[in-house]
Amino acid sequence: MKKILVVEDDAAIRTGLAEALAREHYLVDTASDGETGSLKGSAKDVDLIILDLMLPVMNGEEVCRALREKGISTPILILSSKREETSKVLGLELGADDYVTKPFSLLELQARIKAILRRQKKSGDKIDEFAFGNVKLDFKKHEMTRRGKQVKLTEREFKVLKYMIEHKGEVVTREMLLDEVWGYENFPTTRTVDNYILSIRHKIEDAPSRPKFILTVHTAGYKFTC
Amino acid sequence: MKKILVVEDDAAIRTGLAEALAREHYLVDTASDGETGSLKGSAKDVDLIILDLMLPVMNGEEVCRALREKGISTPILILSSKREETSKVLGLELGADDYVTKPFSLLELQARIKAILRRQKKSGDKIDEFAFGNVKLDFKKHEMTRRGKQVKLTEREFKVLKYMIEHKGEVVTREMLLDEVWGYENFPTTRTVDNYILSIRHKIEDAPSRPKFILTVHTAGYKFTC
DNA sequence: GTCGCTTGTCACAGAAAGGTCACGAGCCGG
DNA sequence: CCGGCTCGTGACCTTTCTGTGACAAGCGAC
């Protein structure tokens, strides 16, 4: 779960923002002045700082600069009012990553937050091809072939299968799948998982009722082997 | 490590940019006027040139043209202000690879830089022509012909199609398109993407409702094949 | 073997995503 | 100022996906 620090002195905006972000399943911390903002912003577990420019004690500009000088590279999104817009060249010189001018729409802010966080997660070692048995998978193309014949998989089926493959040999619990594939926003029954396993088996196994690849580990979960 | 040359006369933006890019682990060199920009940009070890259009001594347009005439094919990203917006297309005709209009956010710039460098790495030779089915595209001239007949594409349609082609075979999500084609400055609905796909299909497909080239990948995005 | 719990299986309804069209806003050239 | 072009959005309909309940089958402990 991503953690966002909101540094804003106006209580109404601060709590409003905090609530809105919490509703979007972010972890939210707040600070009402620049100094505590700078302090809290130095923590390593913060994924994004939303920073008002006009702040008591220490203004946003200073906070920004201070953080960067400390070598903190946490993304910073600046909230500025129209007046300040022209003076600061978009916080570029301050080391901010993005800016939104007040009054802003919540929708826009959320979109930008998403964009920033999306950029953060590095595209490290992802598999995009995998083969086993008579099945070949291409995650990038969203394609699966079995004995050379194309088989259609649902997006969710793809994700489940991919997760299983990424943990091949290990027992994967239903809870793990629900957390990682379904995410925090959805809370389906654990039976839902079973059903997806079922339909995946139908597509990858020669004898779905006697599976060779996705094995059931009774009272624990499932295991992918090949 | 990639080397980026920043050609910009405004000191605040220049140093701000330089620092930000350094933070992103790029090697950065700077130039404050067109002439030195052109000089430094001729070096072979430069991977990308970020070029302001309004420059003393020699403007960005001239720098761009001069470099291309010298046979330098280093990617160029143009910074232009709103006023010069009409020169957008011109910029691309000059041989620039992309442009960002001021005021821009660091986030957007970074995204575009990444995109350009990724493209660069992928296929040393940039595509500027592409043909499939009975369609022929000329990216440089922004022209498309179908069965020898000219078909008009809007700028945005062109970009979408180009992006799809650059990722042919792979699934392209709406988010990817919004990020890379629309940029971070606009936040249209994802439905907007659908509509563009629709209109592109009408222009390239024989049976738009049963597309052969731009396929829908349900809950994932679209895929270009040919 | 029997009981209790877990998993396999199927069918279905509601939800979500995509296709399509039409409209209003903004921009530009005349 | 008008008409035409883009662009983004909303509305409506169709298709596809998703999650769930019900029941059968399987497993494990006793």
Side-chain angles (χ1 to χ4, degrees), chain A residues 110-123:
Chain A
Q110 284 168 350
R112 285 177 186 275
I113 288 170
K114 254 194 197 161
I116 293 176
L117 294 177
R118 201 183 318 138
R119 224 179 57 80
Q120 279 310 97
K121 71 169 179 212
K122 54 186 168 220
S123 51

Side-chain angles (χ1 to χ4, degrees), chain A residues 154-156 182 186-189 191-192 195-196 218:
Chain A
T154 287
E155 171 72 3
R156 190 132 285 172
W182 272 263
N186 310 75
F187 304 100
T189 323
R191 303 315 320 287
T192 302
N195 280 288
Y196 273 87
H218 205 267

Side-chain angles (χ1 to χ4, degrees), chain B:
Chain B
M1 184 132 67
K2 294 292 183 177
K3 182 166 177 182
I4 298 179
L5 173 64
V6 177
V7 188
E8 163 71 58
D9 62 326
D10 182 324
I13 300 184
R14 191 174 63 241
T15 57
L17 256 181
E19 277 172 25
L21 294 175
R23 219 180 306 130
E24 295 279 312
H25 307 290
Y26 294 111
L27 259 174
V28 186
D29 196 0
T30 58
S32 54
D33 68 89
E35 204 167 343
T36 53
S38 170
L39 207 67
K40 287 187 172 179
S42 305
K44 280 189 213 72
D45 63 339
V46 175
D47 295 295
L48 171 66
I49 301 169
I50 297 178
L51 185 60
D52 190 18
L53 269 192
M54 292 245 297
L55 284 170
V57 185
M58 183 176 176
N59 71 35
E61 218 171 296
E62 293 170 321
V63 174
C64 208
R65 200 172 279 130
L67 284 172
R68 293 299 184 232
E69 267 167 19
K70 266 198 261 179
I72 310 270
S73 60
T74 310
I76 296 177
L77 196 164
I78 284 189
L79 300 182
S80 66
S81 56
K82 275 263 168 61
R83 302 248 177 74
E84 304 153 325
E85 195 163 1
T86 40
S87 53
K88 270 180 182 176
V89 184
L90 186 69
L92 292 173
E93 275 168 9
L94 285 172
D97 294 74
D98 206 350
Y99 56 86
V100 175
T101 52
K102 297 182 195 172
F104 57 87
S105 83
L106 190 55
L107 192 69
E108 171 164 19
L109 190 67
Q110 284 169 348
R112 288 183 186 275
I113 289 171
K114 250 195 193 163
I116 292 179
L117 292 178
R118 174 159 25 88
R119 232 177 291 156
Q120 191 68 3
K121 190 171 65 181
K122 210 170 205 172
S123 57
D125 45 354
K126 280 178 281 185
I127 27 167
D128 42 52
E129 276 192 31
F130 191 80
F132 62 93
N134 46 37
V135 175
K136 232 181 78 141
L137 284 164
D138 187 321
F139 291 113
K140 240 181 190 156
K141 293 185 192 159
H142 277 231
E143 277 176 7
M144 169 174 142
T145 53
R146 177 137 171 261
R147 293 205 188 88
K149 261 184 68 185
Q150 180 125 357
V151 179
K152 279 178 84 175
L153 281 188
T154 68
E155 175 73 6
R156 193 130 284 175
E157 288 168 350
F158 219 89
K159 279 191 170 178
V160 171
L161 183 51
K162 187 178 179 191
Y163 187 81
M164 298 289 302
I165 289 173
E166 280 170 350
H167 295 261
K168 68 168 175 251
E170 302 169 21
V171 171
V172 175
T173 67
R174 279 164 246 272
E175 280 194 345
M176 285 164 75
L177 283 168
L178 286 175
D179 279 2
E180 308 244 357
V181 174
W182 273 263
Y184 287 103
E185 299 311 305
N186 308 79
F187 299 96
T189 324
T190 50
R191 302 318 317 287
T192 303
V193 178
D194 298 343
N195 279 290
Y196 273 87
I197 295 292
L198 175 67
S199 69
I200 293 173
R201 276 176 176 162
H202 272 291
K203 292 178 181 176
I204 67 170
E205 301 275 2
D206 289 324
S209 54
R210 250 163 292 107
K212 275 169 54 189
F213 302 116
I214 297 185
L215 307 179
T216 303
V217 182
H218 206 271
T219 68
Y222 296 99
K223 184 163 69 169
F224 181 88
T225 48
C226 60

